């Protein structure tokens, strides 16, 4: 039976007389609790004099920081690589399509010798009127652009750009008096791809009839000490055609017959003039850099020109026979530079009488 002082529920757990005597030593009575003095240390005291009661544990590292560093490094490398690729594609001075170097110009220049005396007259208008060039246009008007349309890989604007550059080359190299008799070359040279300019320069420094280094394969050139233009209104007729060679290349083919009225240098207006005909078939190549920079590769040049003598080298310049002159020798008969399907002899041809004025 319990004592009178015990609570009705029995002795509290942990109290004297309870069932867990082993915890009795850690139970504080009321007088002990009231006598206890609470002291809160200042921040400085906690820092300098007292260690914290609870020590903060460092977070467990599971490699997350290292993974983020690796990810950032990979992203930086990817950005650098992408920038390098972009600059390689878009850089204005990159090499041409598929890193293909400029192809050397292949050229043929064939003199056409007259079978008879060269006809001439002091009336240049009559000279043209009685020749196959009677209906030719004057100067650049005789080099019109054809109707254009886009190709599978090139836009309308790119096709027009190629045709305009080819036209500029034809006009500058065959219709500019400063080029024909004045020795000017820069206006033609700047239209060429930089990979062909050395070949162009070598042709003027060391002209040769080797199929690579004839001045007259690049442009029309007369000896100003022998002949001069009797009329700067040069007649011309011909065609331009553009076609896609491959996904990275456009080609333009030109075929023009150019007719010059010439007379002896320094002879004056009273001297008889005669006609000199040059048939030029050129093939140009353009990659996208060429189109953007208004330049071209001239890869084929085929020239027939007469009347001139077959005995003189046409590589440095053409040698027109003037009114009343005859050729020392002639080649195979019948070559007519006014006809589109004229077959060309390999070295020298005979100028058909049909290609001369009938006075």
């Amino acid at each position: 039976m319990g004592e009178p002082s015990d609570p009705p529920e029995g002795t509290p757990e942990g109290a004297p007389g309870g069932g867990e005597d082993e915890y009795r030593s850690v139970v504080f009575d009321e007088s002990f609790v009231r006598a206890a003095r609470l002291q809160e240390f200042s921040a400085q005291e906690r820092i300098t004099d007292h260690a914290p009661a609870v020590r903060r544990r460092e977070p467990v590292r599971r490699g997350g920081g290292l993974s983020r560093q690796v990810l950032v490094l990979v992203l930086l490398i990817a950005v650098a690589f992408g920038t390098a690729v972009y600059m390689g594609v878009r850089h204005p001075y990159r090499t041409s399509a598929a890193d293909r170097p400029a192809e050397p110009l292949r050229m043929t220049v064939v003199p056409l010798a007259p079978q008879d005396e060269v006809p001439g007259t002091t009336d240049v208008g009559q000279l043209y009127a009685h020749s196959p060039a009677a209906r030719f246009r004057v100067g650049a008007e005789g080099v019109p652009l054809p109707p254009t349309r886009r190709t599978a890989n090139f836009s309308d604007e790119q096709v027009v750009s190629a045709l305009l550059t080819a036209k500029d080359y034809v006009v500058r190299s065959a219709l500019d008096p400063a080029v024909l008799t004045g020795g000017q070359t820069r206006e033609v040279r700047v239209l060429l791809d930089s990979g062909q300019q050395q070949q162009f320069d070598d042709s003027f420094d060391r002209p040769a009839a080797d199929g690579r280094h004839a001045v007259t394969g690049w442009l029309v050139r007369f000896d100003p000490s022998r002949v001069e233009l009797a009329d700067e209104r040069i007649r011309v007729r011909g065609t331009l055609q553009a076609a896609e060679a491959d996904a990275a290349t456009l080609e333009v083919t030109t075929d023009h017959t150019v007719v010059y009225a010439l007379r002896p240098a320094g002879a004056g207006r009273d001297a008889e003039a005669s006609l000199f005909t040059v048939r030029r078939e050129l093939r140009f190549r353009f990659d996208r850099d060429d189109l953007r920079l208004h330049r071209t590769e001239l890869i084929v040049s085929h020239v027939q020109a007469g009347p001139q003598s077959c005995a003189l080298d046409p590589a440095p310049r053409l040698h027109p026979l003037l009114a009343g002159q005859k050729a020392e020798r002639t080649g195979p008969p019948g070559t007519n530079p006014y006809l589109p399907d004229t077959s060309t002899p390999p070295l020298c041809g005979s100028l058909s009488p049909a290609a001369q004025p009938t006075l």
Side-chain angles (χ1 to χ4, degrees):
M1 182 172 179
E3 297 181 0
S5 60
D6 290 338
E9 295 84 359
T11 304
E13 183 179 352
E20 297 184 4
D21 293 342
E22 65 268 21
Y23 295 107
R24 187 173 301 165
S25 61
V26 298
V27 175
F28 304 109
D29 59 18
E30 184 178 356
S31 61
F32 176 83
V33 172
R34 290 178 178 177
R37 183 172 61 90
L38 300 178
Q39 179 181 3
E40 181 177 358
F41 296 106
S42 69
Q44 183 65 33
E45 288 173 332
R46 287 197 299 270
I47 293 174
T48 59
D49 299 333
H50 299 277
V54 178
R55 182 174 299 172
R56 179 176 296 179
R57 299 178 61 185
E58 293 294 330
V60 178
R61 296 186 179 272
R62 303 182 182 275
L66 180 60
S67 299
R68 286 193 295 272
Q69 292 176 358
V70 172
L71 178 60
V72 170
L73 180 60
V74 170
L75 288 175
L76 289 175
I77 293 173
V79 170
F81 180 78
T83 302
V85 171
Y86 176 83
M87 293 301 292
V89 171
R90 301 297 300 173
H91 197 281
Y93 300 104
R94 72 184 189 275
T95 55
S96 58
D99 294 329
R100 178 180 57 204
E103 181 178 326
L105 169 61
R106 306 186 306 275
M107 59 181 73
T108 56
V109 182
V110 180
L112 300 178
Q115 297 177 351
D116 302 308
E117 283 188 3
V118 176
T121 178
T122 57
D123 188 340
V124 174
Q126 289 296 314
L127 199 60
Y128 277 119
H130 291 84
S131 77
R135 297 184 180 276
F136 284 18
R137 295 182 179 181
V138 174
E141 293 183 358
V143 192
L145 297 182
T148 60
R149 62 180 181 179
R150 63 172 297 126
T151 67
N153 294 285
F154 292 89
S155 66
D156 291 334
E157 292 78 7
Q158 289 173 317
V159 174
V160 170
S161 177
L163 290 168
L164 284 173
T165 303
K167 174 178 177 174
D168 279 353
Y169 192 96
V170 171
V171 171
R172 296 185 192 186
S173 64
L175 303 178
D176 185 350
V179 172
L180 301 175
T181 60
Q184 176 65 259
T185 61
R186 182 182 181 280
E187 294 301 314
V188 178
R189 186 181 187 273
V190 296
L191 291 176
L192 292 171
D193 185 280
S194 58
Q196 286 192 316
Q197 290 180 355
Q198 186 60 54
Q199 183 188 5
F200 181 88
D201 295 340
D202 291 343
S203 299
F204 287 84
D205 294 338
R206 296 177 297 277
D210 60 358
R212 291 290 188 273
H213 299 97
V215 172
T216 48
W218 299 99
L219 49 81
V220 177
R221 172 62 55 84
F222 301 120
D223 184 350
S225 67
R226 294 189 62 252
V227 301
E228 65 183 27
L229 291 171
D231 185 358
E232 292 190 355
R233 292 163 47 85
I234 300 166
R235 278 32 172 208
V236 58
R237 183 177 68 185
T239 61
L240 297 92
Q241 294 182 333
E244 184 175 306
D246 55 50
T249 311
L250 273 176
E251 287 190 353
V252 174
T253 302
T254 70
D255 184 358
H256 290 87
T257 300
V258 189
V259 186
Y260 307 88
L262 304 176
R263 61 187 172 210
R269 294 184 175 274
D270 293 334
E272 286 190 336
S274 59
L275 296 185
F276 187 81
T277 303
V278 176
R279 171 82 172 275
R280 301 175 81 207
E281 298 171 80
L282 309 176
R283 181 149 57 95
F284 301 91
R285 176 177 292 163
F286 300 85
D287 61 27
R288 286 180 169 79
D289 275 350
D290 292 329
L291 295 172
R292 181 170 50 84
L293 297 173
H294 192 62
R295 69 185 187 189
T296 185
E297 294 177 42
L298 178 58
I299 57 175
V300 175
S301 172
H302 182 62
V303 179
Q304 305 171 61
Q308 63 178 325
S309 173
C310 293
L312 299 176
D313 181 8
R317 61 182 61 90
L318 302 174
H319 304 280
L321 293 172
L322 302 177
Q325 295 179 337
K326 296 183 63 174
E328 297 178 5
R329 62 186 179 88
T330 63
T335 303
N336 188 341
Y338 291 90
L339 299 179
D341 299 324
T342 301
S343 60
T344 306
L347 298 176
C348 183
S350 178
L351 185 63
S352 169
Q356 294 278 52
T358 55
L359 299 175

